[in-house]
Amino acid sequence: MIKKNVYLLFIIVLLMCSAQEITSKALSFNSINDITKYGLQHNAQVKTSYYKWESTKELPKKLSGLSDPTIGVRLNGAPAKHSDSSVDQKRYLLKQSFPFWGELSHKKTLGESKETIAHIDYLLTQNKIRVSIESLVYKLLLNDEL
């Protein structure tokens, strides 16, 4: 029993010695640009607006791939009622597409405008965070000088 406790204690000490440091490190920056760059890279609002913008980039491609509605006439051959009949099952199909003057023809431009709006929202969020970080840094520097 004592031998098992010694082994268990040895394993625990070994794990504690091999574990990485959990303590936090102090960050040091050389300029305000470094601080704002770090803040923008690690801000959740900026990341969210960037991913929204990235997701809307695919929207015009998908919306432009929609096809116009078609009118079709299909004439199928007579169905065979028993296996002895060798009736050829031919299908005749006549299709005609027509222009649709509703929202379908404008979906690509609508998707492009949504992408532009998402990009502008991303830039506005980025600028808002940049201004708040820089004003905070200047306030801290002025406070240290006083």
Side-chain angles (χ1 to χ4, degrees), residues 73-79 88-93:
V73 177
R74 183 175 297 220
L75 176 65
N76 289 336
D88 190 13
Q89 296 289 322
K90 291 184 180 178
R91 292 182 179 172
Y92 303 99
L93 180 65

Side-chain angles (χ1 to χ4, degrees), residues 78-91:
K81 299 212 177 197
H82 49 77
S83 61
D84 294 338
S85 175
S86 61
V87 177
D88 190 13
Q89 296 289 322
K90 291 184 180 178
R91 292 182 179 172

Side-chain angles (χ1 to χ4, degrees), residues 91-104:
R91 292 182 179 172
Y92 303 99
L93 180 65
L94 172 67
K95 278 190 172 180
Q96 173 64 45
S97 64
F98 59 94
F100 184 71
W101 291 284
E103 191 179 340
L104 186 61

Side-chain angles (χ1 to χ4, degrees), residues 45-60 111-126:
Q45 290 176 341
V46 174
K47 286 181 182 180
T48 302
S49 62
Y50 176 75
Y51 290 134
K52 283 182 184 177
W53 173 46
E54 285 293 318
S55 67
T56 57
K57 283 183 178 180
E58 293 297 319
L59 194 61
E112 289 171 352
S113 64
K114 284 184 179 182
E115 178 191 352
T116 306
I117 289 170
H119 181 66
I120 291 171
D121 183 49
Y122 167 66
L123 293 176
L124 286 173
T125 305
Q126 198 175 23

